[in-house]
């Protein structure tokens, strides 16, 4: 099924049911959740589908803070992190 066909089916299911989960869509359309998310994002950008929102509390262990910058990347203050010290030869 090509993206346009999937997107039309997603819109049809939304019109029929009002709310459809990503899991339901992946089962019905036999594609990955990432494919469904890309299709929904495209429909949102076109103004044809309402934005997807997360409802309820975040799952336990879900990160709520941004990850730290990788080594050597600029810190939030704009300074660069010191390079790691190489291990000493014994």
């Amino acid at each position: 099924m090509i993206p346009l066909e999937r997107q039309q089916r997603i819109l049809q299911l939304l019109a029929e049911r009002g709310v459809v989960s990503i899991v339901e869509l992946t089962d019905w359309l036999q594609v990955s959740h990432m494919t469904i998310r890309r299709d929904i994002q495209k429909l949102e950008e076109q103004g044809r589908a309402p934005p997807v929102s997360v409802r309820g509390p975040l799952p336990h262990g879900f990160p709520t803070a941004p990850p730290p910058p990788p080594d050597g990347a600029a810190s939030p203050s704009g300074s660069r992190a010191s390079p790691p010290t190489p291990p000493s030869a014994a």
Side-chain angles (χ1 to χ4, degrees), residues 6 12 15 17-18 20-22 24-25 27 40-41 44 56-58 63-64 74 86 89:
R6 283 194 312 270
Q12 180 183 3
R17 300 189 53 174
V20 184
S21 74
I22 300 288
E24 290 173 312
L25 292 172
D27 289 343
I40 291 172
Q41 180 181 14
E44 288 175 1
L58 292 173
T64 56

Side-chain angles (χ1 to χ4, degrees), residues 1-3 5-11 13-14 20-45 49-50 52:
M1 184 179 294
I2 64 171
E5 291 172 337
R6 283 194 312 270
Q7 293 164 10
Q8 290 298 325
R9 184 67 178 132
I10 291 168
L11 290 173
L13 290 166
L14 281 170
V20 184
S21 74
I22 300 288
V23 172
E24 290 173 312
L25 292 172
T26 59
D27 289 343
W28 288 333
L29 300 174
Q30 295 297 298
V31 294
S32 73
H33 75 282
M34 290 305 297
T35 297
I36 295 295
R37 290 185 183 278
R38 282 190 297 271
D39 287 341
I40 291 172
Q41 180 181 14
K42 186 71 164 176
L43 292 169
E44 288 175 1
E45 290 169 359
V52 175

